[in-house]
């Protein structure tokens, strides 16, 4: 992802979720996507809430409740063509500074 998009993406994630958000490391187990943790209350622990821009090839057995965050429609198009289970994708738009959630169905099997 373009480094200039990162601050915009994080601002949108924080404002959209309304929760404390913290970034983790890249995770090979999650398609080398950046792990994103959130906590609903100050007293609670951070929990894995989403993965930023995972490789589409990692989506074959993706947990349906784990949100994928992408910085725009180009990433969403890549995910839609990859084989996977049903996914929840947060598409972030840096121009409008809005986030839309899409449920993407399984892609074609290869």
């Amino acid at each position: 992802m373009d480094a200039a998009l990162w601050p915009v993406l994080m601002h949108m994630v924080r404002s959209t979720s309304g929760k404390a958000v913290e970034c983790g490391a890249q995770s090979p187990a999650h398609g080398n996507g950046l792990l994103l943790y959130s906590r609903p209350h100050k007293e609670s622990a951070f929990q894995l809430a989403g993965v930023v821009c995972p490789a589409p090839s990692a989506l074959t057995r993706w947990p349906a409740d784990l949100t994928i965050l992408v910085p725009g429609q180009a990433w969403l198009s890549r995910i839609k063509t990859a084989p996977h289970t049903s996914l929840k994708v947060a598409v972030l738009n840096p121009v409008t500074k809005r986030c839309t959630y899409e449920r993407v169905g399984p892609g074609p099997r290869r």
Side-chain angles (χ1 to χ4, degrees):
M1 179 187 327
D2 183 344
L5 276 178
W6 185 249
V8 175
L9 183 138
M10 288 310 299
H11 172 74
M12 286 189 284
V13 168
R14 286 186 178 102
S15 62
T16 301
S17 71
K19 301 174 185 173
V21 177
E22 187 174 285
C23 292
Q26 276 188 294
S27 171
H30 294 88
N32 280 332
L34 188 67
L35 299 179
L36 193 65
Y37 297 89
S38 69
R39 68 175 182 199
H41 310 289
K42 285 186 179 184
E43 320 69 58
S44 61
F46 279 94
Q47 297 177 343
L48 182 61
V51 179
V52 181
C53 301
S57 60
L59 303 177
T60 305
R61 290 185 206 91
W62 199 263
D65 58 341
L66 185 57
T67 304
I68 298 170
L69 292 101
V70 296
Q73 292 296 319
W75 272 92
L76 181 62
S77 297
R78 291 182 207 165
I79 287 172
K80 283 183 174 180
T81 60
H84 54 70
T85 59
S86 181
L87 305 170
K88 184 168 68 171
V89 182
V91 183
L92 305 169
N93 185 326
V95 175
T96 64
K97 295 189 173 16
R98 302 224 183 257
C99 174
T100 58
Y101 289 89
E102 293 202 28
R103 180 66 67 178
V104 178
R109 299 291 174 208
R110 296 180 186 171

